[in-house]
Amino acid sequence: MSTFSRRQLLIFFGGSAGAAVLGDKLLTGLSGVAEATTTPLNFTPVRLPHPLPIYQTQRSFLPTGIGQGQNIAPSTTPNLPSYNVIDDVVVPPEYERYVIVSWGDRVFPNPDEYFGYNCDYTGFIPLGRTNDEGFLWVNHEYVGFPLSDLAPEAPVDVQGLPTTFPPVIGRSLPAARGVELEGEFLYNVGGSIIRISRRNSARRYTVVRDPRNRRIHGLSGLGINRQRSDRYQSVTSWGTLSYQQGDQNYLYGTGPAATQVFESVNADGLGNKIIGTGFNCSGGTSPWGTILTAEENFQGGSAFFVGVTEAVLPNGSQTGYTPETIGERFGLVGEKYGWMVEIDPVNPGFRPRKHTALGRFRHENITMRAEAGRKLVAYMGDDRRGGHTWKFVSDGVVTSPNSKANSNLWEQGTLYVARYNPDGTGQWIPLRLNTPTNPIAPSIISSVEFAARGLAQNNGRLPLPRRNGIAGQTIDGGGFNCDRTNEATALPQYQGRTLADFYPTQGAVLCDAFLAANLVGGTPTARPEDLEIHPINRREVFISYTDGAPGSDGYPDSRIFQVAKLSTDVNATQQSGGLYKIIEDSADSTGLTFRWQRFAQGGEAGSVNGAGFASIDNLVFDNQANVWGVTDMSTGTHNGFNVGAAGSPITINHTSTGNIANFTGVFGNNWLFFIPTSGPDAGRVFPFAQGPVRCEMTGPTFVGDTLIISVQHPGEDSPINDGTILSRSIEMLALDGTLFNQTRTVPRGSSWPGNIPTTDGGQNQPQGFPRPSVIGIQRRNPISGRFV
């Protein structure tokens, strides 16, 4: 169901109180917009492999080569018998795309340094009164193959194959794990700050040389290890090059955990000094010109070793170094990672800080409401299976939204976790020492799946803090898995207490926020990846939940989220996330109650309630309050092929039940979609762009008439494109819910952007090197500062 009624749309995007009255003048009052446009769509939707209702009524642009394509007439049965995937960022013919900056680019004062890997969130801070020039912040989330065949979780069958580090960076990485290799991996995460300008004849953004261009990476400040008295005192560099020598650009913490854990427990002897930021996924840009960057998958293990220890003791410090991780290698204590980090791109004198009042969990992003005379309010997601939806309310009030002094408001306030009720209401539960413990029973959160299938994945797992003497545990720290098999005896021992019975300080609570939230009865959810506040009705918060399938971290509440395909019917509802919103009951968003709604359920358009997209991730509103979203389908399912040199087909059987993550293979590559919120096309899902092979499109940011967006991990975990083509027949749903088969062909690996013209930032090499990059998309013939 990828076309929504006008009433549904107005209620969901326009604000339930006045939408029916506002109608097409919904946007009145939005800065720079007098009233909503009612003109028809002015671009040709990109043709994707799978059928969508929009293809029944509108012509579409089918890509046939790099920068080439043909218009396809609308059809009542838009099933394509074959589809050839193109390794490029495919945009409508009315638009152009070009590369602004790529991994490995030497754009910093020190010529040894280079732009980091796996670009994600982007934030733009203008210089002057126009958007023609400014500083761009770019997150770098993680490293993977083909950067190195020793990168975490690189497939076995790519070992020894060519990698991109030598040809792009100009030297080779060590052939074995150690300080130099893992240090370079950490250098490639964090973020980059670059000055960009489009004051040129092409009106395209390019990098400008500026002494303020700089990296803030996973080992920034490594030089402070010299202050330690343990075995890490001599670990102050990771190579011989200038930037590999440990510097003094450390970060610091604010709020309760900084004083009560970093300083008082002082596990590393460095107090409130922190080495680096890493694992940076999404984020937010403040009205006062700073960036909040989110440390997400910081948890380290034997396979994903570029990480630190997540589990903490009751006092908030790590349970110990996890063997074979970069935490153990460089002495990075786990409690100092997993935070929201504030950075000022324009001011190098602003020392980046980790705001611990915002909690430690796998942060995906942040969106904030800053209004003069009111408290600062922020919403955040915890991107894990069973992760939570969060709100922070400051103790102090905003004087002026543009004041740099607002950074201080992050230091003191209350962190809340959302509890969703099946009747569409909800409560914000504070994470305070005196908050009662009241976990939701695993048998309740898994009740819908259990009733339909007679079983629940992972037995409805609900992780809780492990404590000596509770539920038969003999040690403190880390998590205890409460589930349907043990809840009768274990759960009562976690009920009827307060958080003070499990943690000695507020700082310790915040260091273990995920488990503490389960303990007080926060709702486990379906991987909340992005939250955005409505640009007009500030009480409404839109949330993209990426995937409802349970996992080792927890089980999303099946009364609220689709956690599995529950029926063998081929067109039964699929679990592929969805688009939700919270409507605050309080006018200033500081209250303790809210309502919630689900607008779109992920899944094929031919499935029951299917919106025609899967794994929705980053969201952004343009300056007309239209909604844009990107997808985050797992690399190992793209186009129905697994990663690795073999590129083996994965099974897609529409009669399957349970976790049907493989179904995302029908959608092809990750893509960008557009939902107008006004005019004759309101509520329709328009495919706007499709990314290169095995990539994820992330961090969309509108800067005037340009969309800046990252292209992350093209060719991930696959050989560099050598011309090998994979082909298969793939089972798909037609719009009427019946099955058809499509022949799908796709390059095994990627060459993007090396394969695009030099005029667009490539090298005109069909078998070039894949490089994560940041691109600009703009109309070929601009329309008075608007993107659409």
Side-chain angles (χ1 to χ4, degrees), residues 41-190:
L41 188 72
N42 53 20
F43 68 84
T44 308
V46 168
R47 188 60 175 258
L48 302 175
H50 58 287
L52 288 170
I54 195 65
Y55 300 144
Q56 294 178 311
T57 58
Q58 303 241 2
R59 67 176 187 171
S60 56
F61 177 72
L62 177 68
T64 58
I66 303 299
Q68 299 175 347
Q70 63 186 61
N71 287 336
I72 302 294
S75 171
T76 55
T77 308
N79 303 335
L80 295 178
S82 63
Y83 192 92
N84 180 38
V85 175
I86 303 301
D87 185 29
D88 192 10
V89 177
V90 179
V91 297
E94 297 84 4
Y95 287 77
E96 59 185 5
R97 53 86 187 96
Y98 63 93
V99 175
I100 297 174
V101 64
S102 296
W103 167 60
D105 284 352
R106 311 286 177 148
V107 290
F108 304 105
N110 181 347
D112 287 340
E113 293 205 81
Y114 58 89
F115 191 76
Y117 204 70
N118 272 350
C119 318
D120 205 300
Y121 178 77
T122 63
F124 180 80
I125 307 299
L127 293 173
R129 295 185 178 182
T130 73
N131 289 321
D132 283 352
E133 192 156 350
F135 277 94
L136 183 71
W137 165 269
V138 182
N139 280 358
H140 303 298
E141 187 178 4
Y142 65 98
V143 295
F145 185 85
L147 177 144
S148 166
D149 58 5
L150 295 176
E153 300 183 311
V156 173
D157 64 0
V158 302
Q159 304 302 316
L161 294 181
T163 60
T164 53
F165 194 91
V168 173
I169 304 302
R171 65 179 193 276
S172 295
L173 287 170
R177 286 181 55 186
V179 169
E180 184 177 354
L181 177 77
E182 294 174 20
E184 204 64 19
F185 285 171
L186 277 175
Y187 174 78
N188 272 279
V189 301

Side-chain angles (χ1 to χ4, degrees), residues 10 12 114 142 163 174 192 280 284 287 380 397 410 435 641 665 672 684 690 722 731 758:
L10 292 177
F12 191 79
Y114 58 89
Y142 65 98
T163 60
S192 292
N280 306 75
M380 298 166 286
V397 299
W410 298 123
T435 300
F641 295 99
L672 167 70
R684 309 181 78 183
Q690 186 178 37
D722 60 1
E731 181 182 280
T758 55

